[in-house]
Amino acid sequence: MQNLKDRVTIYQVAQASGVSLATVSRVINKRGSVTEATRKKVEATIASLGYKPSGLAQALATNRTTNIGVVIPSANYVYIANMLSGITEVAREKNYCLTLFSTSHSREEAISMIEKVITTHVDGAIIFDDQLGPEDINKITSYNIPTVVVDNKISGDRVCDIHFSYDAAMKNFIMDYYAKGGDKPMTFLHAHNTGRLLSRCEKMFIKTHEELGRPYHVMNCSDSYTHTYNEFFESFKSGNSKDTFYICYRDSIAAAVENAAMDAGLNVPQDIEVLSLVGTKYAYIVRPTLTAMHIDMQEAGKRAMYMLTDLLNQELVEKTSRLEPRLVLGQSTIKR
Amino acid sequence: MQNLKDRVTIYQVAQASGVSLATVSRVINKRGSVTEATRKKVEATIASLGYKPSGLAQALATNRTTNIGVVIPSANYVYIANMLSGITEVAREKNYCLTLFSTSHSREEAISMIEKVITTHVDGAIIFDDQLGPEDINKITSYNIPTVVVDNKISGDRVCDIHFSYDAAMKNFIMDYYAKGGDKPMTFLHAHNTGRLLSRCEKMFIKTHEELGRPYHVMNCSDSYTHTYNEFFESFKSGNSKDTFYICYRDSIAAAVENAAMDAGLNVPQDIEVLSLVGTKYAYIVRPTLTAMHIDMQEAGKRAMYMLTDLLNQELVEKTSRLEPRLVLGQSTIKR
DNA sequence: TTGTAAGCGTTATCAG
DNA sequence: CTGATAACGCTTACAA
C-alpha cells in the first residue's frame, strides 16, 4: 500500500486495472456480476493502491450516509454515558456511525445543534435532550428524518419515543413513605437546566404533597458535587437542615448531601434520609449506599437504536417504549 | 417553512427566487458580492422553503467535512467521558462535529474502526485507544489525515501526541512509600484489555520493585465493580488478602476493594491500603476517600482538540504535550 | 460481463 | 454583480 498520497479515487483504480469505474464500483459493492478474473485483478490493485471509497461520495450518490445523529446535553454524566454506550453497541452491530451533537444545557445551543443535525445529512437521529421541547424536535422531523426521542413526547410518521415512567414511581414512593410512617418532611433539590424529566418529578412531588396536605420544600442547589457538599456541610455544621428527607436528582448530588451530613457529625439515615432519582452503579459504591431509582440507561440506548433501525427499514411495530424505574433500597433511607 | 418535503436543493431555491445557483451559493457562504436586494430575495425564499444546504455535497465540493473522528474504547468510563467532554467543548467552539468510533476493547474491532475512520472522510482524528499500536495508527496517518494520538507514541508529518507521565509518577510513589516506612507488600491489580497505559504502569511497578529488591504481587481481576467486590469480599472474609497495599487501575475497582474490606470487617487504611491509578471525582466521593493519581482528562481532551485544529490550520508549534498525574492523598492510605 | 453517461447537491472558475 | 459550467467521487440505469 502506498503511503502519503492524496486520496486514491475509484477512477485511478479503474485505470490501473484497465477497467471502467463501473466495474470497480461493482467489485466494491459486490453487486452486479463480474468475472472472477477481473474481480481478482481489481481487488489486487485496490489493495496495492490502498484505495478506500469515499463515504462522502457514496452517501451523496446513494442518499444514505449510514450515520446517526445523537443529540445529548453532555457525555459527562454517568447515566448519559451509559445510554451512549448502549447506542454505540447496537450501532456497531447494525453498521452505523454516530455523530455526536452536544448541547451542553443551553436551549439556544440545543436549537442550533438541531439545525446542524439537519445539514449534516444523517440517516436518522436519537434525541435525548431534556432542554428541547416538542416544537424544537418537530423541526427535525419536518425534514423527514427518522427520529427516536428519549423522554419527550412527540408524534409523527417516522418518529418513535422512549419514556421513563418517573411520575408514577415518584408518586408511589412518596405515598408509600408517609403510609409507612415516614416522619421527616421532604425537600426536593432543584437545579437549573437539569431538564424536563426532573421538572416533571418536581411537579409530581409538589402535586402529591398537596394532595396529601403535607408540608414540603423545594430548595435550589448547584449541579456540582463540590458546591453542594460545601453548602450542605456548612448548613449541617450550624445545626440546620437536619430531620429532612432529601430527594436529589442524581447520585453525585445525593452523595454530596450524605457525605456532608456524615462529615458534619450527623447520622444517615437517622438524621437525614436521601433518595437519588437517577441511580447508577455509584449508588451502591458510595457509603451509605443510596436508595435510588434505577433505570437501565444502557438498555434505553440499545432500545432507542433498535427502534431507529427498524424505523429506517420501515419495519417498525411499536412506536413507543416505556422503561420503569426500579426502586432499590439502600442505606440512605430507613427501612420501614 | 414547508413541512414534510423531500430535501430542498439549492437549485430549487435558485428557481424560486429567479437567480442562478451560483448566486444562492454566494448568499449561503457570504462570499463574493451580491446586491443587497438579491440577497434579501434569496434569503427570503431560503427561509420560506426551509432550505438547509447539504453538508454532504458541500464536503464533497470543498474537500472539507468539518468532521473529526474520535476513536475511543467506550464512552462508558468516567475518565473517557471526561475527555470526550473536553473534546466536545472545543469542537463546538471551533465548529467541528464529532464522529464516534467505539472500539470496545478488542483489537480487531479497533482496527476495523480505523478503516472506517478513513472511509468516513473526516478532516482529522483524535485517537485514544490503548489497544492500538503504532502500526495501526500509522494506517490512519498514511492517508494523510491529521491526527492527535493520546497516550501513544507516534511520529509523522501531521501527527501530534499527548502523553501522561505515569511511569515516573508510579515509580516516585512506590519509592516514596517504602522510603517513608510503608510496610505492606504491594499488589498490582491487573485486568485484561485495559490498555497500554496500565501495562506500562505494571511494568514500572515490577521494575521498581525488582530494583528495590522488594517482594510484590500481580493479581488478575475483572474489570467490573461487582465481580471485584465479591471476589475480595470472600477473600477478606476468610482472612486472606489483608496487610496488602493494592494498586488499582481505576476508582471503581479501588472502591470495590475498600468496600469489600470494610464490609468484611477490616479497617482501611490500617489493614489494607488502596491507590487508584486513574482518579476521577469519585475518588473523593467514596468513603474512605481514595488516594489517587488524578489526571485532568477534560483538559487532555481540550488540548487534543486544540492541537488538532492547529494541525488543520497548519499553525502548530508543539507536536507533543505532556500531562502530569497529580497525586492526591485520601483516606485509603496511611499518612506517613 | 462490461462500459457509457447521467445524476447526487454543492463550490468555484470563468466569462459576461 | 451574476450566470454557465466544470469539477468533487461515487452509484446506477441503460447500452453494448
Side-chain angles (χ1 to χ4, degrees):
Chain A
M1 187 215 311
Q2 289 286 39
N3 273 6
L4 300 163
K5 302 294 292 176
D6 272 347
R7 198 161 194 111
V8 179
T9 74
I10 197 175
Y11 186 71
Q12 298 170 37
V13 175
Q15 267 206 322
S17 35
V19 298
S20 75
L21 3 162
T23 306
V24 179
S25 176
R26 287 185 195 103
V27 172
I28 296 169
N29 302 304
K30 309 182 195 304
R31 214 193 310 282
S33 31
V34 201
T35 331
E36 191 54 25
T38 51
R39 143 163 305 123
K40 291 265 190 226
K41 195 168 52 179
V42 172
E43 276 169 350
T45 63
I46 285 182
S48 83
L49 261 48
Y51 165 74
K52 300 266 183 243
S54 156
L56 231 50
Q58 289 181 311
L60 189 61
T62 56
N63 201 26
R64 261 194 97 227
T65 56
T66 66
N67 230 290
I68 302 296
V70 178
V71 182
I72 51 176
S74 156
N76 220 358
Y77 293 87
V78 175
Y79 68 102
I80 296 183
N82 282 344
M83 191 180 77
L84 193 52
S85 150
I87 296 175
T88 305
E89 196 177 308
V90 179
R92 180 179 20 238
E93 176 192 325
K94 302 282 188 184
N95 240 297
Y96 280 101
C97 272
L98 300 179
T99 302
L100 228 51
F101 298 87
S102 210
T103 56
S104 75
H105 290 305
S106 119
R107 178 139 182 281
E108 295 109 64
E109 197 84 63
I111 290 175
S112 94
M113 278 301 163
I114 291 280
E115 314 258 296
K116 254 194 169 172
V117 173
I118 295 165
T119 67
T120 300
H121 228 299
V122 294
D123 287 345
I126 295 178
I127 304 187
F128 178 32
D129 195 311
D130 264 4
Q131 299 290 306
L132 296 166
E135 333 77 74
D136 307 314
I137 293 173
N138 274 328
K139 205 175 277 174
I140 242 180
T141 59
S142 76
Y143 281 86
N144 225 359
I145 301 175
T147 301
V148 174
V149 186
V150 182
D151 195 42
N152 225 327
K153 240 166 207 136
I154 199 75
S155 61
D157 192 23
R158 311 193 63 189
V159 194
C160 296
D161 41 34
I162 290 187
H163 288 280
F164 306 130
S165 338
Y166 261 96
D167 295 24
M170 186 79 194
K171 180 166 190 167
N172 286 344
F173 181 85
I174 297 173
M175 306 273 283
D176 198 55
Y177 171 78
Y178 291 120
K180 291 198 177 145
D183 53 352
K184 300 193 185 70
M186 287 184 156
T187 292
F188 190 98
L189 260 46
H190 166 101
H192 280 301
N193 290 331
T194 41
R196 47 184 61 217
L197 187 152
L198 294 163
S199 322
R200 287 208 317 268
C201 283
E202 187 175 332
K203 276 196 197 112
M204 185 51 84
F205 170 83
I206 294 173
K207 188 170 162 231
T208 307
H209 277 86
E210 296 197 327
E211 283 174 10
L212 256 41
R214 295 268 186 176
Y216 65 89
H217 277 280
V218 173
M219 177 188 282
N220 284 310
C221 87
S222 120
D223 186 18
S224 136
Y225 171 84
T226 311
H227 286 170
T228 306
Y229 174 90
N230 289 336
E231 223 162 88
F232 272 91
F233 182 74
E234 289 309 322
S235 182
F236 287 137
K237 259 300 192 201
S238 45
N240 300 318
S241 308
K242 52 188 255 184
D243 293 317
T244 302
F245 189 115
Y246 290 100
I247 298 186
C248 308
Y249 49 99
R250 53 198 190 88
D251 292 347
S252 302
I253 301 303
V257 174
E258 67 171 20
N259 280 345
M262 307 222 318
D263 293 351
L266 300 185
N267 287 316
V268 180
Q270 292 78 16
D271 295 324
I272 66 157
E273 295 181 67
V274 179
L275 167 74
S276 167
L277 288 182
V278 183
T280 68
K281 71 170 174 182
Y282 290 97
Y284 49 86
I285 293 185
V286 300
R287 293 303 153 88
T289 57
L290 291 168
T291 290
M293 308 268 198
H294 283 265
I295 204 146
D296 189 339
M297 291 301 283
Q298 178 129 6
E299 172 62 24
K302 283 191 194 177
R303 212 180 277 189
M305 192 63 203
Y306 278 126
M307 288 175 105
L308 188 57
T309 51
D310 284 352
L311 213 49
L312 292 168
N313 302 330
Q314 316 261 26
E315 59 191 23
L316 189 73
V317 198
E318 286 296 338
K319 303 209 51 158
T320 277
S321 172
R322 183 170 292 280
L323 263 74
E324 304 283 340
R326 190 170 41 87
L327 179 68
V328 176
L329 297 176
Q331 303 157 339
S332 67
T333 54
I334 295 172
K335 289 219 161 33
R336 293 170 223 270
Chain B
M1 188 216 311
Q2 290 286 40
N3 274 6
L4 299 165
K5 303 292 293 176
D6 271 347
R7 198 161 193 110
V8 179
T9 73
I10 198 175
Y11 187 71
Q12 298 170 37
V13 175
Q15 268 205 322
S17 35
V19 297
S20 76
L21 3 161
T23 306
V24 179
S25 177
R26 287 187 196 101
V27 172
I28 295 168
N29 301 303
K30 308 184 195 307
R31 213 194 311 279
S33 29
V34 200
T35 331
E36 192 53 24
T38 51
R39 141 163 306 123
K40 291 261 191 234
K41 195 170 50 180
V42 172
E43 275 168 350
T45 63
I46 285 181
S48 83
L49 260 47
Y51 165 74
K52 300 264 183 249
S54 156
L56 231 49
Q58 290 181 312
L60 190 60
T62 56
N63 201 26
R64 261 194 97 229
T65 56
T66 66
N67 230 290
I68 302 296
V70 178
V71 182
I72 52 176
S74 157
N76 220 358
Y77 293 88
V78 175
Y79 69 101
I80 295 183
N82 283 344
M83 190 180 77
L84 193 53
S85 152
I87 295 176
T88 305
E89 198 178 305
V90 178
R92 182 178 18 244
E93 176 192 324
K94 301 283 186 181
N95 241 295
Y96 280 101
C97 274
L98 300 180
T99 302
L100 227 51
F101 298 88
S102 212
T103 56
S104 76
H105 290 304
S106 116
R107 177 137 183 280
E108 294 108 66
E109 197 85 63
I111 290 175
S112 95
M113 279 301 163
I114 291 280
E115 314 258 296
K116 253 194 170 172
V117 172
I118 295 166
T119 68
T120 300
H121 228 302
V122 294
D123 287 346
I126 295 178
I127 303 186
F128 179 32
D129 196 311
D130 263 5
Q131 298 292 308
L132 295 165
E135 332 77 74
D136 307 314
I137 294 173
N138 274 328
K139 205 176 276 178
I140 243 180
T141 59
S142 77
Y143 280 85
N144 226 357
I145 301 175
T147 301
V148 174
V149 185
V150 181
D151 195 42
N152 226 326
K153 241 168 205 133
I154 199 74
S155 62
D157 193 22
R158 310 193 65 188
V159 193
C160 295
D161 42 34
I162 291 187
H163 287 280
F164 307 130
S165 340
Y166 261 96
D167 295 22
M170 187 78 193
K171 180 167 190 169
N172 286 343
F173 181 84
I174 297 172
M175 305 273 283
D176 198 54
Y177 171 77
Y178 290 120
K180 291 196 177 145
D183 53 353
K184 301 194 185 70
M186 288 184 154
T187 292
F188 190 98
L189 260 47
H190 166 102
H192 281 300
N193 290 331
T194 41
R196 46 184 63 215
L197 189 152
L198 294 162
S199 320
R200 287 207 317 267
C201 284
E202 188 176 331
K203 277 197 198 111
M204 184 51 85
F205 169 83
I206 294 173
K207 188 170 161 229
T208 308
H209 277 84
E210 297 199 325
E211 283 173 10
L212 256 41
R214 295 268 187 177
Y216 64 88
H217 276 279
V218 173
M219 177 187 282
N220 284 309
C221 86
S222 120
D223 187 20
S224 138
Y225 172 84
T226 311
H227 286 170
T228 306
Y229 174 90
N230 288 337
E231 222 162 273
F232 272 91
F233 182 74
E234 289 310 323
S235 181
F236 287 137
K237 259 299 192 202
S238 44
N240 301 319
S241 308
K242 54 187 256 186
D243 293 317
T244 302
F245 189 115
Y246 290 99
I247 298 186
C248 309
Y249 50 98
R250 54 196 188 88
D251 291 347
S252 301
I253 301 303
V257 175
E258 67 171 20
N259 280 345
M262 308 222 319
D263 292 352
L266 300 186
N267 287 315
V268 179
Q270 291 78 16
D271 296 323
I272 66 156
E273 297 181 65
V274 179
L275 166 74
S276 167
L277 287 183
V278 183
T280 68
K281 72 171 175 184
Y282 290 98
Y284 50 86
I285 292 184
V286 301
R287 293 302 153 87
T289 58
L290 292 168
T291 291
M293 309 268 197
H294 283 266
I295 204 145
D296 189 339
M297 290 302 283
Q298 179 128 6
E299 172 62 24
K302 283 193 194 175
R303 211 179 278 188
M305 192 63 202
Y306 277 125
M307 287 175 106
L308 188 56
T309 52
D310 284 352
L311 214 48
L312 291 168
N313 303 329
Q314 318 261 25
E315 59 192 21
L316 188 73
V317 199
E318 286 297 337
K319 303 209 53 158
T320 278
S321 173
R322 184 170 292 280
L323 263 74
E324 304 284 339
R326 193 169 39 88
L327 179 69
V328 176
L329 296 176
Q331 303 157 340
S332 67
T333 54
I334 295 172
K335 289 219 164 31
R336 293 170 223 270

